[in-house]
Amino acid sequence: MAVPKKRTSMSKKRIRKNFWKRKGYRAALKAFSLAKSLSTGNSKSFFVPTNTNN
């Protein structure tokens, strides 16, 4: 027989929401950092060809 589940407390809900938000924030920071290193030419993990007159 189906039994209704107990309600999640506001504090627990807030903690989970903040974890989720923090994951997105860290991913955005990482992407921004990578873009910055690519634009300045300091990237060590990507090969970016320079413009040559061919």
Side-chain angles (χ1 to χ4, degrees):
M1 183 175 194
V3 178
K5 293 187 177 174
K6 289 195 174 188
R7 188 181 166 150
T8 305
S9 68
M10 285 298 288
S11 63
K12 201 172 266 188
K13 190 188 282 186
R14 204 174 295 124
I15 288 167
R16 288 188 184 136
K17 195 174 185 182
N18 284 337
F19 257 89
W20 184 77
K21 283 182 181 178
R22 212 175 303 146
K23 275 172 76 173
Y25 177 73
R26 275 196 230 119
L29 267 182
K30 211 173 203 178
F32 183 71
S33 174
L34 178 62
K36 208 160 76 170
S37 69
L38 282 172
S39 69
T40 58
N42 293 335
S43 177
K44 292 180 175 71
S45 59
F46 280 91
F47 173 72
V48 182
T50 55
N51 290 338
T52 57
N53 297 331
N54 285 339

